[in-house]
Amino acid sequence: APTSNATGAVAFPPGFVWGAATAAFQIEGATAEDGRTDSIWDVFARVPGAVAGGDDGAVACDHYHRYRDDVALMRSLHLGAYRFSTSWARVRPDGGAPNPRGLAFYDRLVDELLAADILPWVTLYHWDLPQALEDAGGWPARETAYRFADYAMTAHEALGDRVRVWTTLNEPWCSSFLSYIGGEHAPGRTSRRDGVAAAHHLLLGHGLAAAAIREVDPTAVVGLTVNLTVADPVDPANPADVAAAAKHDGLFNRTFLDPVLRGDYPADVREWLAPYGLDDVVRDGDLPLISTPIDALGVNYYNGSSVAATPPAVVDAGVTDRPDGVRDDADAPRRHTQAPTPSPEGVHHHGRGLPRTAMGWEVQPEGLTRLLTRLHRDYTGPAGVALYVTENGAAYDDVADDDGFVDDSGDRLAYLDAHLRAVKDAIDAGADVRGYFAWSLLDNFEWAHGYSKRFGIVRTDYATQRRTVKASGRWYGQVARTGVVPDASAVAGADQSAD
Ligand code: GBH
């Protein structure tokens, strides 16, 4: 597709939301304070070899104690919105009774944000299930969906007078397939049946919570955030490769999009998941709940994928044929014992020689244009649902100078620039995209990679907890302030200031 916004200055529509995103477990720390109990990530991080470097979330970015400074930082970056998640194990420890001291933290945070003119965007579940609920069966147990809806209402009751945007789940593909089949994320299970049941119960939890919030708060903006890819066949003229791409699209994207936005699992997905028990967990009445109308679809996009029916002849530099594209290096978490999709047979990932980030993920901005255009055409446009890019960003091997400054203008800034241009291309093609959130505000706990991977537009020095805005952060602050992505040639090497 021709790119119309390749280099010149690009102005976004008035009212476009500029934000940055984080997640509770990745930044808060204070994991045993004010009544919070273990989540599955606290427990998983204690498993030898589960997280690179033996890292855990005990301190992270110490945001629990530094939230005021962090909100001031966001204000200095001119952010209009802040997407964060609430910790279930803080709000309802062990998944049990509401905890006023835990809720009070989010109360303070929301007030601080509003005082700084930053809209709070709450995500209720960003992967941190209370361990007690995992012990009771976790997401493969249907009961967890009902407990999630209860927790959602507790959070809404405390914050709903001030928080207007409610996202139920972040990336259910990750909290089901990657966590219960791939074993790479907490709770580290490796069962295809568990992964399929988890996926359905996450969707059910989304539907129950969305319906309950709508009921008590008809003007709330209710949504779901999904991680999506663009699956291209290696050889578009080879029907087997085309079928492999359709299968990857089905198991990665459509398994989650179709139930929510079209009211049913697609026929091919049903067929692929039947051997792993999908029909045993779907009950009458589930799909109408799951397809409760939403107002916003959050899209997390990092990379596209190029798939074939056969493995690549040569595995390119340091990259294994892993479905998640994770680089096979010393920092990489433990291997999948099975690929993290229920039916990976006949789906092989091939590198395309595109530049890669420090995660080993290919940089493919035009995929974001195609993804948003397709979503608008096939899913959200017909339903009148707004699109938001709720995560996009990149890890690179940052080098900080003596002042902690990282000049990432050659990589992270360029990544954000290219993807924002891709978003504008989608808007120009008619997609109703209303906002963009950089992942992430801060370097933080990158799940199985621990602190070894840095996605922040602000550097975190973990020894001192000092935050230093990177070149990409200064640039993004200007974009947020002006609503304009500046001429690319003016950016390279330019002296950028945050104000
Ligand atoms: C997000 O996960 C999370 O929401 C966030 O917490 C995390 O820190 C951030 O991204 C960075 O990892 O197309 O088969 O190669 C993103 C997880 C990343 C999982 C891309 C799938 C590519 C799969 N996704 N990955 S594939």
Side-chain angles (χ1 to χ4, degrees):
T3 318
S4 53
N5 296 306
T7 51
V10 168
F12 279 69
F16 192 82
V17 176
W18 296 100
T22 64
F25 192 78
Q26 295 181 271
I27 66 164
E28 285 180 358
T31 47
E33 260 176 73
D34 294 333
R36 183 189 180 280
T37 58
D38 277 349
S39 74
I40 54 177
W41 272 95
D42 297 272
V43 171
F44 189 65
R46 292 177 201 133
V47 176
V51 176
D55 293 344
D56 62 32
V59 178
C61 303
D62 196 32
H63 171 76
Y64 193 76
H65 301 114
R66 295 169 191 265
Y67 72 93
R68 274 198 190 86
D69 293 343
D70 289 338
V71 171
L73 179 66
M74 292 177 222
R75 191 180 165 90
S76 78
L77 295 174
H78 309 283
L79 301 187
Y82 173 49
R83 173 178 180 260
F84 64 97
S85 75
T86 48
S87 158
W88 190 343
R90 236 185 248 299
V91 170
R92 296 186 67 142
D94 291 334
N99 171 28
R101 285 183 299 156
L103 281 162
F105 168 68
Y106 298 109
D107 210 60
R108 295 192 294 274
L109 173 61
V110 164
D111 285 344
E112 194 74 16
L113 287 164
L114 291 173
D117 258 324
I118 300 168
L119 292 178
W121 280 47
V122 165
T123 298
L124 290 159
Y125 187 71
H126 200 124
W127 307 357
D128 44 359
L129 183 71
Q131 179 64 32
L133 294 182
E134 171 62 19
D135 294 340
W139 285 109
R142 186 176 174 91
E143 184 60 19
T144 303
Y146 296 94
R147 297 288 73 80
F148 173 71
D150 293 345
Y151 150 64
M153 292 320 283
T154 301
H156 183 274
E157 200 176 294
L159 308 172
D161 58 335
R162 286 153 293 152
V163 173
R164 304 315 301 137
V165 184
W166 290 88
T167 302
T168 54
L169 310 174
N170 177 71
E171 302 191 348
W173 181 88
C174 289
S175 16
S176 56
F177 295 168
L178 195 58
S179 304
Y180 286 91
I181 302 177
E184 180 178 314
H185 280 190
R189 290 203 226 171
T190 53
S191 152
R192 292 176 180 194
R193 288 190 76 87
D194 285 347
V196 170
H200 182 68
H201 295 143
L202 279 152
L203 287 170
L204 179 62
H206 155 77
L208 289 163
I213 292 173
R214 276 200 171 293
E215 170 91 26
V216 300
D217 186 356
T219 62
V221 174
V222 177
L224 167 74
T225 279
V226 283
N227 56 301
L228 300 172
T229 190
V230 173
D232 291 323
V234 168
D235 177 2
N238 177 349
D241 287 0
V242 172
K247 190 171 193 178
H248 186 56
D249 176 59
L251 292 171
F252 202 85
N253 299 330
R254 291 184 284 113
T255 298
F256 302 94
L257 289 170
D258 281 58
V260 173
L261 292 159
R262 291 180 165 179
D264 205 352
Y265 291 98
D268 55 357
V269 168
R270 271 194 185 268
E271 198 177 301
W272 294 322
L273 299 187
Y276 309 109
L278 180 65
D279 301 326
D280 305 335
V281 292
V282 178
R283 296 195 190 164
D284 284 353
D286 286 2
L287 283 155
L289 261 173
I290 291 170
S291 56
T292 295
I294 55 171
D295 306 293
L297 182 73
V299 177
N300 293 356
Y301 176 82
Y302 288 90
N303 59 278
S305 17
S306 169
V307 299
T310 49
V314 179
V315 175
D316 62 333
V319 178
T320 57
D321 180 29
R322 288 171 44 153
D324 62 355
V326 170
R327 196 167 54 180
D328 189 18
D329 64 11
D331 284 337
R334 60 188 180 165
R335 309 291 184 81
H336 296 297
T337 51
Q338 300 168 19
T341 46
S343 306
E345 299 87 8
V347 178
H348 298 273
H349 290 246
H350 291 228
R352 279 170 287 197
L354 294 171
R356 291 180 188 270
T357 70
M359 299 296 280
W361 302 342
E362 285 189 340
V363 179
Q364 194 204 350
E366 60 81 25
L368 181 54
T369 308
R370 283 193 282 144
L371 173 62
L372 293 168
T373 309
R374 172 207 184 184
L375 289 170
H376 180 81
R377 185 192 62 217
D378 294 349
Y379 289 96
T380 52
V385 172
L387 288 165
Y388 291 88
V389 176
T390 39
E391 284 182 30
N392 174 243
Y396 284 102
D397 296 325
D398 290 340
V399 179
D401 69 15
D402 292 345
D403 299 323
F405 177 72
V406 174
D407 181 1
D408 57 355
S409 46
D411 45 46
R412 187 176 292 101
L413 188 159
Y415 181 101
L416 297 175
D417 175 270
H419 286 79
L420 279 171
R421 290 170 188 280
V423 172
K424 183 58 164 49
D425 284 340
I427 294 171
D428 291 347
D432 183 15
V433 189
R434 301 196 195 166
Y436 175 94
F437 292 73
W439 183 271
S440 179
L441 176 69
L442 298 168
D443 293 336
N444 59 44
F445 178 82
E446 178 50 30
W447 305 113
H449 296 272
Y451 299 101
S452 71
K453 294 288 182 263
R454 295 175 177 272
F455 278 85
I457 57 173
V458 175
R459 179 175 180 82
T460 305
D461 175 10
Y462 294 106
T464 62
Q465 289 297 345
R466 190 158 64 115
R467 278 78 158 124
T468 309
V469 179
K470 302 177 190 178
S472 59
R474 293 181 180 180
W475 175 87
Y476 188 67
Q478 293 288 4
V479 174
R481 185 173 64 78
T482 59
V484 175
V485 173
D487 189 306
S489 61
V491 169
D495 179 31
Q496 297 144 48
S497 127
D499 33 58

